[in-house]
Amino acid sequence: MPGKLKVKIVAGRHLPVMDRASDLTDAFVEVKFGNTTFKTDVYLKSLNPQWNSEWFKFEVDDEDLQDEPLQITVLDHDTYSANDAIGKVYIDIDPLLYSEAATVISGWFPIYDTIHGIRGEINVVVKVDLFNDLNRFRQSSCGVKFFCTTSIPKCYRAVIIHGFVEELVVNEDPEYQWIDRIRTPRASNEARQRLISLMSGELQRKIGLKVLEMRGNAVVGYLQCFDLEGESGLVVRAIGTVCTLDKLSSPAAHLPACNSPSKEIKEIPFNEDPNPNTHSSGPSTPLKNQTYSFSPSKSYSRQSSSSDTDLSLTPKTGMGSGSAGKEGGPFKALLRQQTQSALEQRGGSPHRFCRRREFPFFTLTAFPPGFLVHVGGVVSARSVKLLDRIHNPDEPETRDAWWAEIRQEIKSHAKALGCHAVVGYSESTSICEEVCILSASGTAAVLNPRFLQDGTVEGCLEQRLEENLPAGCGFCHIPYDELNMPFPAHLTYCYNCRKQKVPDVLFTTIDLPVDAIVIGKGCLIQARLCRLKKKAQAEANATAISNLLPFMEYEVHTQLMNKLKLKGMNALFGLRIQITVGENMLMGLASATGVYLAALPTPGGIQIAGKTPNDGSYEQHISHMQKKINDTIAKNKELYEINPPEISEEIIGSPIPEPRQRSRLLRSQSESSDEVTELDLSHGKKDAFVLEIDDTDAMEDVHSLLTDVPPPSGFYSCNTEIMPGINNWTSEIQMFTSVRVIRLSSLNLTNQALNKNFNDLCENLLKSLYFKLRSMIPCCLCHVNFTVSLPEDELIQVTVTAVAITFDKNQALQTTKTHAEKSLQRASTDNEELLQFPLELCSDSLPSHPFPPSKEHLESASANSGIPAAQRATSVDYSSFADRCSSWIELIKLKAQTIRRGSIKTTVTVEKASPVGEGTFRNRSAPPCTNSTVGVVKMTPLSFIPGAKITKYLGIINMFFIRETTSLREEGGVSGFLHAFIAEVFAMVRAHVAALGGNAVVSYIMKQCVFMENPNKNQAQCLINVSGDAVIFVRESELEVVSTQQSAPSCQSSCTGGEVTT
Amino acid sequence: MTSELDIFVGNTTLIDEDVYRLWLDGYSVNDAVALRVRSGILEQTGATAAVLQSDTMDHYRTFHMLERLLHAPPKLLHQLIFQIPPSRQALLIERYYAFDEAFVREVLGKKLSKGTKKDLDDISTKTGITLKSCRRQFDNFKRVFKVVEEMRGSLVDNIQQHFLLSDRLARDYAAIVFFANNRFETGKKKLQYLSFGDFAFCAELMIQNWTLGAVDSQVDDMDMDLDKEFLQDLKELKVLVADKDLLDLHKSLVCTALRGKLGVFSEMEANFKNLSRGLVNVAAKLTHNKDVRDLFVDLVEKFVEPCRSDHWPLKDVQLFLNQYSASVHSLDGFRHQALWDRYVGTLHGCLLRLYHD
């Protein structure tokens, strides 16, 4: 009997009137846990009952403690008829199960009814007495901490980052059980809420067990999702990153290291680098052999090997993959495929952790300094599946196998990029009827293995600072062999250190590393796309979708690339591509934050080429467009303050300037390239991305490029944690959710009209946000998260959650920024001076390149951007197509042995800890947890609160609500209904956090918002799933420390002492 | 492409003061959008009309949801659904309960009943205030009235406690409630020159001195109902004008004291008996409800108008009233000094306030 749960019902307030005669209520409460129920006395005739009950005690297994929610039902006593339910409160008692989190849950909870919404509040106190249980075979995993935050939580230190953990549980959806026909909507909703609560408890417990198995003590970046598969069931799945975390008792202990003046971080000969994998001397050829045991050509041939198997299943490699699985078939085929290709590859990795873990994935998006060595680029995989009923909920192999397949694919893509790990990893689904698209994406990366091993515990933290990774650009250096590039890309020498090769653009799913050197500010970049699809059934439908996917991926990518260039930037962070499937269309929405990385070359412009050069007016039109584009680029550069230091042509050169070979390379790759391909590095600042306007579609594309309106002045937006280039945040934050649904006007829509509608929808939504939040100017919308769904034939729903944070425009970045800027400037000038001989990094390839036939021109253009040229030509056959898609990833890693100037290091140091002395830390080490301001609970999708310090994590918040109405008009129509519901969800989240003793939710995310309406019946239903981390924060101004800097949100330097900015 | 659904929900509820005002003023969403466009907001922000429409809708929806809570302001403070900073909560409440001078003048002293509510159409037409806004204001009056009637303790305190209004606004509501309860006539033509402020001033004086609460703080309705016993007793004052000797003596005392000090001395001397008769008769009549209602009409007719027609300056009115009330203490034959003070003290203040153009 390892636990005793104690519950006390104190009082209620603002109860609804249940007895019309007296205008009062005779309320009592049922408290249920597992199969045990207690009741309070009936408190007669009051809307504000004071029950003041005894302690209700439940003696339960800790397994149940983890799985079961505490269920509190408030009822109105009725002598003659059945008691009427007023509403319920579900309390997840998980936070009480870890020693460091909350010790008591006590407070006012909204009483929620799925039909009426919130009806009054109830004051409850909950405690748990846990008995130690030494049973090794226990089924519970109490004590494992969960964090939604996708970085190492503040006030913890990562001792070891073990790696990926996943689990899923399935069940029948109560909504689709036969009994649902005879029970009330309320009973059905409640059954569903309860089931999901149970399932997520179970899931968390199972994940916890895996964590203990891996000898970790926490899951960071925990992402739990529901797949409402309709008839075929309900899947709850979760992924996360297992870590061993240490609570930071005294942050000062780590500070010396972080604070150590940059000058001391001297260049250390690279052979001292204890990581043999990261330094390959010389021009990187050895690296390939060391790092992975397969050659790129092999990864390309994988395609063919898998296509031997059942045709309909061909798991397409590459992101544009889709496999329309037949019922029953997929699993078998998958196994075969795995044995054939993937499994054998897995064995070859020399990295210890790779061997240990099946999937070297990390759901983190921000890392301790030194953790991320190189970034290879985005890897993603999708697969189309047909849902069938889950026959045995206890054996969810099918779903497991589906995901295993996808993950395997991701893993091999990462390998193809010369990376042994995937960071910023996430998974998602889109379901329409019986078709389901599974997607996974992440960023291939090379990590510093010392964080991943046991036993390196203490040493690594200090060591890593002395390491000689070029801070600020190291992660940009390519991890793959430039002579065996997995995809065509333009390489140049790093503009920062001049030592290593970098790609011309870099796409990633992670947050911008704190030490990255960025010029100017960043901005939100979105690609939006719709594709009509014929309505079809089952397999035909799945096939149609599979066939469309690669084209969508490709177009989304092209759009992103165009928009990035239009902004004058060269890297994307936080990239998230969502493909949504509907009855008659597919929608693609990609969001990312564009930045200008100092290490990467200046992006070329966009050139427009017409196809009929003889038509005068057409020419004129083209040149007009060209001018507009050039103007826009110039304007954007100004807007985002992108003024990279001028680098004269002379010092940039290309060692291998043979443009023609590049096209050859492409072609050869498109078959199966065993030959060693020669790399063409030729490109200069002048090279341009060419858009060919050969039909109206292309025209539309160009127009749509130009219709994206920049945010009004004073506004910035990004979808990453913080805005690159802004770090003087002030403390005002406003988290919000905005939902829009549009009905498409006609049934015979064209792709173009659809695209325009979708584009307008998103743009207008953004405009509305800017308008609404105008009182916060200057401010930045951070973590802008768009979700698209297609609830019905002609409906498009877009949900946005983000946080607006004010910043101080005038207080010019005081310490932090100025230092960073200075050192940045110094770095760049130093670098120039330093180069005693001009390094030829680039030469002008395009001018010298004969490209009269537009097609070839095109190829070179797309090659510049890293897109296989063949993709542009629609004539390409699909099989080879998919493969090359896999690498539309751009990016690269570094070989770390080269040392950069110490001056750059300063930026790291400065951003992390700035001039706070040790003394101040000591003062602060015991911050009084006085959350004096009663009631206010902040919510933010970010992992930090500007101007404040998180002192304690109280546990994970993971809530699922259903709301239904049969009086839609009376509740203000769909807008009124959903507005009220979302407000209620926020209220319930805040109440739970407050009851845990917290004053904020960080890493808040609305994972699902499924809205269905039936206006004819005056009905609507909505399901919302939210999660986040409940925390206690203390305002920095409240800390009794002379604050030397204004809230530096060093959020991303998730490690330890760096955070402790005063 | 039509927007089926369009919402914005902030963790902190966004309140746009301008839109709130438009909403309170009873404008429809479309009218509000038009007014906002006219204010030049589009030019300032570069927004489009569609954005403005969506924004306005959102705010209106929020206000609509908040309205239920505003009906019982303490609920707004304790509710969990909308996270609103305290200063904003106060603003929401204060503005919601604020009323238009023009409107309050129309309903002041009227019974807050369904019948009056039906007349709101006319009031709306007459004042140019939207019917919606009229309804809100009327309902506010009625709601406050319902809550505080039959309650013990100070009227202003009760209103403040239950509606969380500022001191000023609570006093105004006290006056409105007091007038509605006693049904003072304020709509007559000859009273049109009086502002709500004038009446509120008088109401406060009357509450302080003439209600039950002035003598006993432990009764229900203490500040709402006039002290019936006191009104009965006022009949006793009649002797001041009925007894000719007393009247003459009173007059001579006043005239002696004011001779040379009053610009309108001769007019005063000539009118003294009329004025005094008027003031005392008003008192004596207060036993009848009907006459209580006409209190202000009588005061204006019997005192303000005669003085005004003789062009008394305010200073002279003040001197006169001072002397008039004080001299009674020197009338040996008059035994109701305390009663007189309670009556005339309030009257004195009221008359001075009512005496203007």
Side-chain angles (χ1 to χ4, degrees):
Chain A
M1 200 54 70
K4 192 187 275 180
L5 171 68
K6 300 192 291 183
V7 183
K8 183 183 178 115
I9 305 296
V10 183
R13 68 183 182 196
H14 305 152
L15 295 189
V17 170
M18 298 300 282
D19 179 358
R20 294 245 169 242
S22 66
D23 265 5
L24 289 167
T25 296
D26 305 324
F28 71 100
V29 181
E30 274 181 15
V31 185
K32 188 174 174 198
F33 191 83
N35 295 319
T36 318
T37 306
F38 292 102
K39 283 181 191 178
T40 65
D41 298 333
V42 176
Y43 195 92
L44 290 172
K45 303 203 183 308
S46 170
L47 298 182
N48 300 291
Q50 305 290 318
W51 292 289
N52 243 321
S53 78
E54 58 187 302
W55 285 99
F56 299 122
K57 294 182 183 118
F58 301 87
E59 296 185 332
V60 278
D61 286 339
D62 49 0
E63 189 181 334
D64 286 342
L65 280 175
Q66 285 192 290
D67 288 6
E68 295 271 349
L70 175 66
Q71 184 179 322
I72 293 167
T73 313
V74 186
L75 300 112
D76 176 52
H77 177 76
D78 209 325
T79 320
Y80 303 108
S81 60
N83 298 327
D84 295 323
I86 295 173
K88 291 191 182 224
V89 179
Y90 291 96
I91 301 177
D92 178 9
I93 48 169
D94 215 48
L96 295 178
L97 305 181
Y98 345 120
S99 47
E100 295 151 34
T103 51
V104 61
I105 298 176
S106 164
W108 289 98
F109 290 89
I111 301 167
Y112 181 72
D113 178 73
T114 59
I115 305 293
H116 294 105
I118 289 179
R119 308 171 94 188
E121 290 120 39
I122 183 168
N123 194 319
V124 180
V125 186
V126 185
K127 287 181 178 174
V128 171
D129 291 338
L130 271 185
F131 312 131
N132 272 337
D133 180 12
L134 300 176
N135 178 5
R136 290 190 163 269
F137 305 100
R138 61 185 188 162
Q139 288 297 298
S140 82
S141 53
C142 290
V144 173
K145 291 182 280 285
F146 285 81
F147 301 92
C148 293
T149 301
T150 56
S151 54
I152 303 302
K154 321 281 137 63
C155 68
Y156 286 94
R157 182 174 66 102
V159 179
I160 308 165
I161 300 176
H162 298 276
F164 189 61
V165 65
E166 47 77 30
E167 184 64 87
L168 63 78
V169 294
V170 299
N171 210 319
E172 266 186 275
D173 191 336
E175 184 101 338
Y176 295 89
Q177 286 165 346
W178 67 268
I179 193 170
D180 205 58
R181 290 172 203 188
I182 54 166
R183 65 183 165 191
T184 63
R186 176 182 283 119
S188 162
N189 292 339
E190 283 173 3
R192 247 174 144 188
Q193 284 193 167
R194 192 181 131 72
L195 177 70
I196 287 186
S197 188
L198 259 171
M199 286 169 78
S200 43
E202 182 192 341
L203 188 70
Q204 217 170 310
R205 174 173 57 82
K206 287 186 168 172
I207 292 240
L209 284 173
K210 290 191 173 180
V211 171
L212 294 176
E213 228 168 78
M214 291 164 85
R215 303 192 170 278
N217 64 3
V219 182
V220 181
Y222 184 67
L223 177 69
Q224 184 188 295
C225 292
F226 301 96
D227 296 332
L228 300 168
E229 294 185 351
E231 289 285 336
S232 58
L234 190 59
V235 176
V236 185
R237 58 192 163 79
I239 55 176
T241 304
V242 180
C243 296
T244 301
L245 297 183
D246 244 10
K247 182 125 173 98
L248 282 177
S249 42
S250 136
H254 285 285
L255 279 171
C258 296
N259 266 339
S260 64
S262 56
K263 299 290 173 208
E264 288 172 23
I265 306 174
K266 273 286 178 245
E267 317 184 348
I268 291 167
F270 62 77
N271 55 11
E272 274 187 27
D273 185 335
N275 172 14
N277 294 315
T278 47
H279 57 132
S280 56
S281 50
S284 68
T285 342
L287 176 71
K288 177 187 134 207
N289 301 330
Q290 269 180 309
T291 338
Y292 37 91
S293 57
F294 62 95
S295 71
S297 58
K298 190 168 173 191
S299 78
Y300 280 106
S301 61
R302 191 167 20 111
Q303 154 84 42
S304 43
S305 73
S306 57
S307 50
D308 304 344
T309 66
D310 188 336
L311 216 209
S312 69
L313 292 172
T314 316
K316 314 328 164 148
T317 64
M319 27 173 327
S321 69
S323 62
K326 281 188 194 158
E327 300 176 41
F331 189 48
K332 204 173 69 187
L334 166 85
L335 280 181
R336 237 189 299 164
Q337 185 217 351
Q338 277 191 334
T339 21
Q340 279 180 348
S341 54
L343 286 176
E344 63 193 13
Q345 288 177 9
R346 197 188 306 157
S349 164
H351 291 279
R352 253 183 276 177
F353 74 96
C354 285
R355 262 179 275 132
R356 282 205 345 230
R357 306 280 162 245
E358 195 180 6
F359 297 110
F361 297 170
F362 300 86
T363 54
L364 304 181
T365 59
F367 309 91
F371 182 78
L372 196 62
V373 181
H374 305 302
V375 170
V378 171
V379 285
S380 79
R382 291 181 208 280
S383 151
V384 183
K385 299 292 185 192
L386 278 180
L387 299 171
D388 54 340
R389 186 170 280 279
I390 300 166
H391 294 289
N392 183 1
D394 293 331
E395 299 289 329
E397 286 115 343
T398 328
R399 302 300 184 275
D400 268 340
W402 288 355
W403 286 110
E405 183 186 333
I406 296 259
R407 289 172 193 139
Q408 200 58 53
E409 212 171 302
I410 289 278
K411 190 171 151 185
S412 38
H413 291 331
K415 280 194 175 174
L417 286 173
C419 296
H420 58 231
V422 176
V423 295
Y425 180 73
S426 65
E427 296 176 346
S428 62
T429 57
S430 171
I431 297 172
C432 179
E433 301 292 318
E434 74 235 295
V435 174
C436 174
I437 303 184
L438 310 183
S439 311
S441 73
T443 304
V446 174
L447 305 177
N448 186 335
R450 280 173 307 167
F451 278 91
L452 308 164
Q453 298 162 359
D454 309 315
T456 49
V457 195
E458 292 304 320
C460 70
L461 280 173
E462 285 107 69
Q463 267 180 5
R464 80 165 182 267
L465 286 155
E466 288 149 41
E467 233 180 277
N468 47 7
L469 301 178
C473 67
F475 73 94
C476 303
H477 301 165
I478 53 165
Y480 40 81
D481 177 1
E482 66 178 79
L483 297 179
N484 265 314
M485 294 219 302
F487 55 88
H490 263 262
L491 301 185
T492 50
Y493 279 103
C494 174
Y495 275 52
N496 195 31
C497 66
R498 310 266 167 219
K499 302 268 168 61
Q500 298 292 318
K501 293 286 178 61
V502 295
D504 54 350
V505 271
L506 178 60
F507 284 14
T508 75
T509 58
I510 55 172
D511 274 341
L512 187 68
V514 255
D515 54 357
I517 303 170
V518 171
I519 294 174
K521 299 198 165 61
C523 73
L524 180 71
I525 290 179
Q526 285 195 320
R528 304 153 187 147
L529 187 67
C530 303
R531 275 283 171 273
L532 287 170
K533 166 185 88 65
K534 287 214 178 67
K535 279 193 190 183
Q537 291 302 308
E539 272 161 70
N541 194 16
T543 311
I545 293 168
S546 309
N547 290 340
L548 271 174
L549 278 178
F551 295 93
M552 297 209 45
E553 299 267 9
Y554 169 70
E555 277 194 48
V556 163
H557 178 244
T558 311
Q559 251 190 55
L560 281 176
M561 190 64 88
N562 286 341
K563 289 188 176 177
L564 184 67
K565 301 225 175 232
L566 204 62
K567 296 278 195 285
M569 298 175 182
N570 58 19
L572 288 180
F573 287 88
L575 176 64
R576 189 168 161 267
I577 302 178
Q578 201 198 349
I579 304 269
T580 309
V581 57
E583 286 275 278
N584 57 350
M585 63 177 106
L586 285 176
M587 313 278 286
L589 178 64
S591 307
T593 301
V595 296
Y596 187 103
L597 285 178
L600 267 44
T602 311
I606 299 178
Q607 239 172 48
I608 296 192
K611 64 163 181 190
T612 46
N614 295 328
D615 184 341
S617 65
Y618 190 71
E619 289 266 274
Q620 210 179 359
H621 181 68
I622 295 281
S623 69
H624 177 67
M625 297 279 280
Q626 181 71 58
K627 187 173 171 303
K628 258 171 90 176
I629 287 188
N630 292 346
D631 290 350
T632 312
I633 295 179
K635 226 169 57 199
N636 281 329
K637 282 189 172 175
E638 198 177 315
L639 183 64
Y640 299 108
E641 298 161 28
I642 300 170
N643 319 300
E646 285 296 318
I647 298 172
S648 61
E649 284 293 312
E650 296 82 66
I651 61 161
I652 302 165
S654 158
I656 323 164
E658 267 301 296
R660 242 160 278 141
Q661 280 178 335
R662 183 178 48 214
S663 23
R664 206 191 65 208
L665 154 91
L666 288 173
R667 256 170 248 124
S668 61
Q669 266 199 346
S670 62
E671 283 130 44
S672 126
S673 54
D674 245 21
E675 61 192 285
V676 173
T677 53
E678 268 174 86
L679 212 329
D680 170 22
L681 290 183
S682 58
H683 83 100
K685 290 190 299 185
K686 297 217 177 94
D687 99 344
F689 193 64
V690 180
L691 279 184
E692 193 195 18
I693 304 192
D694 50 1
D695 57 15
T696 39
D697 270 9
M699 209 60 172
E700 288 293 321
D701 289 350
V702 175
H703 274 300
S704 69
L705 267 186
L706 293 166
T707 51
D708 279 12
V709 190
S713 88
F715 264 112
Y716 291 94
S717 55
C718 62
N719 75 334
T720 44
E721 283 248 308
I722 50 157
M723 179 68 173
I726 300 179
N727 45 13
N728 45 340
W729 304 107
T730 44
S731 57
E732 195 187 341
I733 64 169
Q734 166 71 291
M735 188 283 296
F736 59 84
T737 291
S738 184
V739 184
R740 276 198 188 182
V741 177
I742 57 162
R743 186 175 289 281
L744 299 164
S745 44
S746 71
L747 285 171
N748 42 3
L749 273 171
T750 59
N751 276 332
Q752 269 174 33
L754 208 53
N755 276 334
K756 184 169 180 322
N757 279 336
F758 184 38
N759 214 33
D760 288 351
L761 170 61
C762 295
E763 283 293 317
N764 289 337
L765 187 45
L766 281 169
K767 277 185 211 156
S768 272
L769 298 181
Y770 296 137
F771 181 76
K772 281 203 173 293
L773 298 163
R774 64 192 186 285
S775 65
M776 294 179 76
I777 285 177
C779 88
C780 180
L781 299 188
C782 293
H783 214 288
V784 177
N785 187 4
F786 273 70
T787 322
V788 186
S789 51
L790 299 163
E792 272 173 56
D793 268 13
E794 296 118 57
L795 295 184
I796 304 180
Q797 177 190 332
V798 175
T799 310
V800 185
T801 299
V803 61
I805 311 183
T806 55
F807 63 90
D808 191 338
K809 202 162 55 182
N810 303 318
Q811 192 174 346
L813 322 168
Q814 316 179 358
T815 47
T816 325
K817 174 82 179 280
T818 40
H819 280 236
E821 266 178 353
K822 262 186 227 148
S823 56
L824 175 59
Q825 280 160 11
R826 193 156 38 117
S828 34
T829 45
D830 282 358
N831 279 341
E832 279 179 42
E833 287 160 16
L834 204 127
L835 297 168
Q836 287 154 345
F837 51 92
L839 253 186
E840 290 219 339
L841 287 182
C842 303
S843 73
D844 293 342
S845 66
L846 279 184
S848 65
H849 184 37
F851 52 90
S854 64
K855 168 130 190 207
E856 199 177 320
H857 185 164
L858 191 70
E859 279 192 347
S860 61
S862 48
N864 285 346
S865 64
I867 308 169
Q871 284 188 9
R872 280 203 80 110
T874 39
S875 59
V876 177
D877 69 308
Y878 177 73
S879 61
S880 61
F881 191 100
D883 245 357
R884 264 162 292 105
C885 283
S886 71
S887 37
W888 64 283
I889 329 299
E890 334 281 301
L891 260 301
I892 327 312
K893 105 212 234 214
L894 89 132
K895 285 131 220 167
Q897 79 280 30
T898 48
I899 307 130
R900 279 237 355 288
R901 302 266 312 164
S903 54
I904 294 294
K905 285 257 177 187
T906 38
T907 58
V908 191
T909 328
V910 167
E911 283 186 16
K912 256 191 321 219
S914 88
V916 187
E918 277 173 65
T920 42
F921 282 111
R922 241 172 263 129
N923 288 345
R924 192 170 0 90
S925 58
C929 295
T930 48
N931 31 341
S932 47
T933 44
V934 221
V936 176
V937 174
K938 301 236 178 204
M939 291 170 73
T940 171
L942 308 178
S943 64
F944 68 100
I945 308 229
K949 183 177 178 290
I950 293 171
T951 55
K952 194 170 183 187
Y953 281 80
L954 298 165
I956 199 168
I957 297 281
N958 187 8
M959 301 169 92
F960 178 85
F961 299 104
I962 301 177
R963 179 87 152 78
E964 188 165 345
T965 184
T966 48
S967 50
L968 189 58
R969 274 185 294 276
E970 294 77 359
E971 294 191 34
V974 286
S975 294
F977 170 71
L978 194 60
H979 191 145
F981 182 38
I982 292 179
E984 287 175 343
V985 169
F986 286 0
M988 289 184 277
V989 170
R990 288 192 301 256
H992 278 77
V993 172
L996 287 169
N999 55 6
V1001 191
V1002 296
S1003 300
Y1004 167 81
I1005 175 174
M1006 183 176 282
K1007 288 178 294 193
Q1008 221 141 19
C1009 177
V1010 184
F1011 177 72
M1012 289 156 289
E1013 56 168 324
N1014 188 342
N1016 297 332
K1017 284 188 176 170
N1018 205 16
Q1019 288 174 345
Q1021 192 192 35
C1022 186
L1023 296 79
I1024 286 183
N1025 177 214
V1026 296
S1027 66
D1029 294 326
V1031 299
I1032 299 175
F1033 73 86
V1034 181
R1035 284 249 161 260
E1036 276 162 11
S1037 53
E1038 286 168 25
L1039 295 169
E1040 299 156 292
V1041 179
V1042 186
S1043 88
T1044 48
Q1045 80 195 80
Q1046 193 91 353
S1047 66
S1050 42
C1051 62
Q1052 279 173 320
S1053 69
S1054 39
C1055 141
T1056 73
E1059 265 32 48
V1060 219
T1061 55
T1062 13
Chain B
M1 180 176 97
T2 50
S3 247
E4 283 275 299
L5 186 159
D6 178 4
I7 56 161
F8 175 99
V9 190
N11 183 37
T12 304
T13 306
L14 280 185
I15 308 286
D16 185 311
E17 290 185 39
D18 298 335
V19 183
Y20 189 46
R21 193 175 295 280
L22 292 169
W23 178 74
L24 289 175
D25 287 346
Y27 292 104
S28 68
V29 174
N30 288 339
D31 291 349
V33 171
L35 285 166
R36 294 182 82 189
V37 169
R38 230 172 292 158
S39 77
I41 195 164
L42 295 186
E43 289 74 21
Q44 286 161 32
T45 58
T48 62
V51 165
L52 204 59
Q53 172 90 21
S54 138
D55 180 66
T56 312
M57 282 288 285
D58 243 344
H59 284 300
Y60 266 55
R61 210 178 306 116
T62 309
F63 298 142
H64 181 73
M65 286 191 265
L66 285 170
E67 189 164 20
R68 190 176 52 85
L69 298 163
L70 284 165
H71 290 168
K75 268 195 191 165
L76 184 69
L77 263 62
H78 292 122
Q79 56 84 29
L80 303 174
I81 299 178
F82 302 97
Q83 186 160 271
I84 304 172
S87 62
R88 289 264 137 173
Q89 288 178 342
L91 176 132
L92 283 174
I93 297 168
E94 194 76 5
R95 292 261 178 93
Y96 189 79
Y97 282 91
F99 48 81
D100 290 306
E101 167 87 23
F103 176 79
V104 74
R105 276 299 278 110
E106 291 297 321
V107 296
L108 191 64
K110 286 197 180 140
K111 195 173 174 192
L112 299 173
S113 65
K114 287 226 171 76
T116 314
K117 199 165 179 179
K118 279 185 195 132
D119 299 338
L120 292 181
D121 288 14
D122 300 337
I123 295 177
S124 168
T125 323
K126 187 174 164 194
T127 58
I129 298 164
T130 60
L131 183 60
K132 248 187 173 167
S133 179
C134 289
R135 290 220 177 103
R136 170 183 59 84
Q137 299 181 41
F138 182 82
D139 290 341
N140 282 345
F141 296 164
K142 193 168 167 183
R143 192 176 317 110
V144 173
F145 185 95
K146 287 259 174 219
V147 167
V148 298
E149 76 174 338
E150 293 172 19
M151 221 176 239
R152 286 184 181 197
S154 143
L155 188 55
V156 176
D157 289 353
N158 285 339
I159 291 172
Q160 248 181 320
Q161 194 187 332
H162 287 89
F163 292 92
L164 310 172
L165 302 179
S166 68
D167 188 57
R168 224 201 90 69
L169 196 53
R171 282 167 197 282
D172 285 350
Y173 267 90
I176 292 164
V177 167
F178 181 72
F179 267 63
N181 190 47
N182 293 290
R183 314 268 302 280
F184 292 113
E185 174 62 57
T186 64
K188 282 269 164 61
K189 203 163 175 211
K190 53 182 60 164
L191 297 182
Q192 285 309 312
Y193 78 99
L194 292 170
S195 70
F196 169 73
D198 297 334
F199 288 115
F201 179 86
C202 300
E204 194 170 345
L205 283 178
M206 288 158 80
I207 292 170
Q208 273 164 18
N209 300 301
W210 289 2
T211 59
L212 280 172
V215 284
D216 179 357
S217 57
Q218 290 307 313
V219 268
D220 291 349
D221 264 349
M222 59 177 227
D223 278 355
M224 299 259 286
D225 295 335
L226 292 169
D227 183 351
K228 286 273 178 321
E229 230 171 282
F230 162 68
L231 297 182
Q232 285 295 337
D233 293 347
L234 284 177
K235 274 195 211 152
E236 307 291 339
L237 299 182
K238 241 186 156 163
V239 69
L240 282 174
V241 287
D243 184 328
K244 196 162 180 314
D245 293 344
L246 219 50
L247 184 59
D248 286 339
L249 185 55
H250 191 187
K251 179 180 173 182
S252 68
L253 282 170
V254 173
C255 289
T256 317
L258 291 179
R259 193 178 302 272
K261 292 180 188 160
L262 229 51
V264 289
F265 182 77
S266 52
E267 290 90 338
M268 186 275 286
E269 196 172 24
N271 262 332
F272 180 87
K273 286 190 180 170
N274 273 340
L275 291 174
S276 183
R277 226 173 258 136
L279 292 178
V280 173
N281 281 337
V282 167
K285 283 202 306 184
L286 287 177
T287 38
H288 305 291
N289 276 342
K290 165 84 181 63
D291 294 312
V292 171
R293 287 181 204 169
D294 283 338
L295 176 68
F296 289 93
V297 182
D298 290 343
L299 290 178
V300 169
E301 260 175 18
K302 299 281 157 46
F303 185 85
V304 175
E305 286 184 340
C307 295
R308 207 156 43 186
S309 66
D310 287 342
H311 305 291
W312 292 35
L314 183 62
K315 182 175 65 66
D316 289 359
V317 176
Q318 191 171 356
L319 281 171
F320 168 74
L321 284 174
N322 281 343
Q323 206 51 51
Y324 176 74
S325 44
S327 307
V328 171
H329 297 294
S330 315
L331 297 174
D332 292 336
F334 185 67
R335 290 175 293 121
H336 307 286
Q337 300 293 353
L339 184 66
W340 172 252
D341 282 349
R342 188 174 174 190
Y343 172 68
V344 89
T346 300
L347 205 66
H348 181 178
C350 293
L351 287 173
L352 283 178
R353 178 77 193 216
L354 300 180
Y355 191 79
H356 62 82
D357 290 331

